[in-house]
Amino acid sequence: MSLESTALSRVKPSATLAADQKGRELKAAGRDIISLAAGEPDFDTPDNIKEAAIKAIREGKTKYTTVDGIPELKEAICGKFARENGLTYKPSQVNVSPGGKPVIWNAMIATLNPGDEVVIPTPYWVSYWDIVMLAGGQPKAAPTRAETGFKLSAEALEAAITPKTRWLLLNSPSNPSGAAYTRAELKALAEVLLRHPHVWILTDDMYEHLVYGGFQFTTIAQVEPALYERTLTMNGVSKAYAMTGWRIGYAAGPEPLIKLMAKVMSQTTSNPSSISQWAAVEALNGPQDFIPANAKLFEERRDLVVSMLNQARGIRCPTPEGAFYVYPSVAELIGKAAPSGKTIASDEDFAVELLETEGVSVVFGAAFGLSPHFRISYATSNAALEDACSRIQRFCAAVK
């Protein structure tokens, strides 16, 4: 008898974490490795946020808290949604979890029954698919195309919805493509969803503040208030506030759903770290001026990476609207020989050969549900990005 449960056997380990770990191992072994696999800002957490955490420790705020978040943080989250998104929530409509993944997990495990479908536009963040599978649901891909900016069309959404559809998972700006939906694009999707009142929406807005070129971010419940009662609007402090290791994600939505999510937490994680919660209060209520400054640096890095990748033979790299990823195509390299002599039969082969030959760690596109592509995170220094992209150019030039 296998030790592994049937439920766990349905999923795979995170490909992004695996790629990053492989790069770390090779670097520890003495290899010259540049890892562009992990989705983590290279900026440090701002000092005022650190000081808030230290103050909480000194004041003895180190005990268990309310399962799904301290009142002060829930109030700060309500203020954020009102101030930045024009959305009005009460603290009883807010969930705070130990990261973004647990928010999604709590919502899925609380609501999915066997056979329930969850529509997920491709390419998707690697964890969406497996969280749904682990929760007993059935993920259903809704395809997008590079030619339309990797964005879900109203027609593709309509085609994906069935009587069994329980949720739509919508991510803007997107991991891995960086695609961000305009107000008009969200309105078109909302019109489809209004015709299907049995479908709930989880909108993952984790990269909200990382948009470029004057792009105006909006979220779907803001664009179409009629969807407010069946939308879970998710965000967190990890990306905009450089707080990945603090593990705080949050969401707001209908109170009955929030209560179900708290019920899940009461028997799994219990509360997020008390210290991290107080740090998040300061993050949301404190100075915000560093966010656009950081976003400007990310925009410069995006432009650098897009330019250099499009100079690599056989790579086609669209310019994304947000996040800190690019999702280039390697279609022109499939079937050709890598510098090692091995055939590049897939985007996974491309990623493996690139790491072995040039020491650049990226994540292959099949992990995100759309091939032949790969994902680069440009959340690192300009010098590292220039070096990595030069190595990619050299690798591609040697492909025969």
Side-chain angles (χ1 to χ4, degrees):
M1 180 181 292
S2 172
L3 179 63
E4 184 177 46
S5 70
T6 302
L8 190 59
S9 70
R10 292 194 292 261
V11 307
K12 301 181 182 70
S14 168
T16 53
L17 296 182
D20 186 54
Q21 181 61 29
K22 178 66 173 177
R24 290 175 190 268
E25 291 171 357
L26 290 173
K27 195 167 189 174
R31 287 282 307 276
D32 177 18
I33 301 296
I34 302 174
S35 180
L36 305 179
E40 181 171 51
D42 58 321
F43 308 127
D44 197 15
T45 303
D47 286 342
N48 64 303
I49 298 173
K50 294 180 190 176
E51 291 302 321
I54 294 167
K55 181 172 183 286
I57 293 171
R58 288 177 173 154
E59 292 179 353
K61 294 174 179 176
T62 57
K63 308 297 185 184
Y64 293 133
T65 74
T66 307
V67 166
D68 64 346
I70 59 176
E72 292 84 352
L73 181 50
K74 289 192 172 190
E75 288 284 359
I77 291 165
C78 290
K80 173 263 184 284
F81 278 125
R83 179 177 68 247
E84 297 181 351
N85 308 111
L87 293 171
T88 301
Y89 294 106
K90 300 177 294 185
S92 58
Q93 292 178 276
V94 173
N95 171 276
V96 183
S97 291
K101 281 183 187 177
V103 171
I104 302 167
W105 166 255
N106 294 335
M108 295 299 109
I109 198 66
T111 59
L112 290 178
N113 292 309
D116 286 348
E117 296 175 350
V118 179
V119 174
I120 305 176
T122 58
Y124 48 73
W125 181 44
V126 293
S127 293
Y128 291 154
W129 197 270
D130 289 300
I131 286 174
V132 171
M133 294 281 285
L134 194 57
Q138 181 60 54
K140 185 172 183 180
T144 71
R145 297 182 299 119
E147 294 78 9
T148 54
F150 296 114
K151 298 180 192 180
L152 180 65
S153 68
E155 294 76 18
L157 175 58
E158 184 75 61
I161 292 174
T162 75
K164 295 181 179 180
T165 304
R166 184 72 159 168
W167 285 91
L168 164 68
L169 291 187
L170 191 64
N171 180 206
S172 175
S174 162
N175 175 2
S177 71
Y181 291 82
T182 65
R183 176 179 286 271
E185 289 164 342
L186 288 175
K187 186 69 174 177
L189 297 179
E191 289 174 0
V192 174
L193 293 163
L194 289 173
R195 296 196 292 271
H196 299 280
H198 65 292
V199 179
W200 284 65
I201 306 98
L202 192 160
T203 177
D204 178 351
D205 299 345
M206 198 65 73
Y207 297 91
E208 168 186 2
H209 291 294
L210 302 179
V211 292
Y212 315 122
F215 186 91
Q216 296 296 311
F217 174 86
T218 51
T219 192
I220 198 163
Q222 175 185 11
V223 170
E224 181 45 78
L227 294 176
Y228 176 91
E229 291 296 338
R230 50 190 173 104
T231 299
L232 184 67
T233 303
M234 183 184 109
N235 214 309
V237 296
S238 53
K239 310 302 181 181
Y241 299 93
M243 294 176 67
T244 51
W246 298 78
R247 307 311 300 138
I248 294 291
Y250 61 82
E255 194 168 328
L257 173 61
I258 298 301
K259 288 182 177 179
L260 292 177
M261 293 168 66
K263 184 178 179 180
V264 173
M265 294 178 69
S266 74
Q267 295 293 1
T268 52
T269 59
S270 295
N271 61 274
S273 160
S274 60
I275 305 308
S276 295
Q277 289 187 70
W278 284 106
V281 171
E282 174 61 23
L284 295 176
N285 289 343
Q288 308 290 305
D289 55 326
F290 65 92
I291 294 177
N294 286 353
K296 183 62 178 175
L297 291 175
F298 277 131
E299 184 173 7
E300 292 171 2
R301 295 173 179 181
R302 177 203 65 171
D303 294 344
L304 168 68
V305 169
V306 169
S307 174
M308 291 191 72
L309 288 180
N310 279 323
Q311 295 173 51
R313 189 164 62 86
I315 289 181
R316 298 292 176 265
C317 184
T319 302
E321 294 91 351
F324 41 64
Y325 309 104
V326 291
Y327 199 62
S329 168
V330 290
E332 295 176 27
L333 302 179
I334 300 300
K336 296 184 177 180
S340 67
K342 295 179 181 178
T343 299
I344 301 174
S346 66
D347 49 32
E348 184 171 7
D349 289 342
F350 172 86
V352 169
E353 290 296 314
L354 178 64
L355 180 60
E356 291 296 332
T357 304
E358 291 288 352
V360 178
S361 176
V362 300
V363 187
F364 60 94
F368 304 101
L370 186 64
S371 294
H373 295 265
F374 67 100
R375 190 195 77 171
I376 276 180
S377 167
Y378 51 85
T380 190
S381 69
N382 284 37
L385 292 171
E386 286 185 22
D387 189 358
C389 290
S390 294
R391 297 186 194 192
I392 293 171
Q393 290 176 350
R394 186 167 62 214
F395 175 85
C396 292
V399 170
K400 303 298 182 183

